[in-house]
Amino acid sequence: MKSLFFLFFYLVMTTNVSLIGSTQITPLISNTTKKTCLFHYWTVYIYNEIKDPITVHVQSGDDDLGNHTLASNDNQNWSFCEGVTFKTLFYAHFYWNSKIAFFDVYTNHISDTYCTKREFRKPGRCFWLVKEDGFYVGDNLHPYTKLHDW
């Protein structure tokens, strides 16, 4: 019985992604699907503020969210439970005309530094704005910080 409990506990702690998909959000912050997580859960938004469409490919070590083409002012978002070790990582490839960029879009450092403050069992949000001059991250309440160029 102990080994069955341990297996169940291990599966709960290591399974951490639930997709919401690409949806248009108006206003910029809206309620996301309620999740049941043991610790903290996050929704990450990527907004295209370029007049041309872009392609975004988001992945983690466990999940591949696939390619998404975002029209101007469109967004991609996904939600996940943060792992007990606080080492959750999502990275993305961005394609715009002949330009390519690749970097982490969610880490513990990014969430602690630029996103909404972590509160036990409350949703966290992290917003990325893709602009012609680069990539900006923020919590939608304070000025965004430019982290990457194209």
Side-chain angles (χ1 to χ4, degrees), residues 120-136:
F120 185 70
R121 300 192 60 84
K122 292 198 175 183
R125 292 185 178 94
C126 197
F127 295 88
W128 283 92
L129 304 179
V130 181
K131 298 184 176 196
E132 291 186 9
D133 69 334
F135 301 86
Y136 296 76

Side-chain angles (χ1 to χ4, degrees), residues 2-143:
K2 281 185 179 181
S3 61
L4 185 60
F5 174 76
F6 177 76
L7 177 63
F8 175 75
F9 181 75
Y10 175 78
L11 290 173
V12 168
M13 298 309 282
T14 59
T15 305
N16 64 358
V17 172
S18 174
L19 300 178
I20 290 183
S22 293
T23 56
Q24 190 71 7
I25 298 177
T26 307
L28 197 53
I29 292 182
S30 69
N31 292 332
T32 59
T33 303
K34 277 287 192 189
K35 299 194 54 65
T36 303
C37 300
L38 292 177
F39 296 100
H40 197 72
Y41 67 94
W42 289 91
T43 301
V44 178
Y45 302 86
I46 298 175
Y47 279 88
N48 178 15
E49 293 196 351
I50 299 173
K51 65 181 186 260
D52 301 318
I54 63 169
T55 300
V56 180
H57 188 143
V58 177
Q59 294 176 265
S60 73
D62 300 321
D63 299 284
D64 185 340
L65 306 185
N67 285 326
H68 295 271
T69 300
L70 305 180
S72 183
N73 297 316
D74 196 5
N75 80 87
Q76 176 186 3
N77 64 78
W78 69 98
S79 294
F80 57 92
C81 294
E82 188 167 40
V84 66
T85 60
F86 298 103
K87 292 185 180 181
T88 303
L89 167 68
F90 281 92
Y91 53 93
H93 292 83
F94 296 86
Y95 306 93
W96 172 46
N97 294 331
S98 63
K99 296 181 180 184
I100 299 173
F102 169 78
F103 53 86
D104 296 342
V105 291
Y106 180 88
T107 64
N108 188 48
H109 171 73
I110 290 171
S111 67
D112 284 347
T113 308
Y114 304 105
C115 304
T116 58
K117 298 303 174 204
R118 182 180 283 117
E119 294 183 51
F120 185 70
R121 300 192 60 84
K122 292 198 175 183
R125 292 185 178 94
C126 197
F127 295 88
W128 283 92
L129 304 179
V130 181
K131 298 184 176 196
E132 291 186 9
D133 69 334
F135 301 86
Y136 296 76
V137 65
D139 62 5
N140 202 41
L141 299 174
H142 300 93

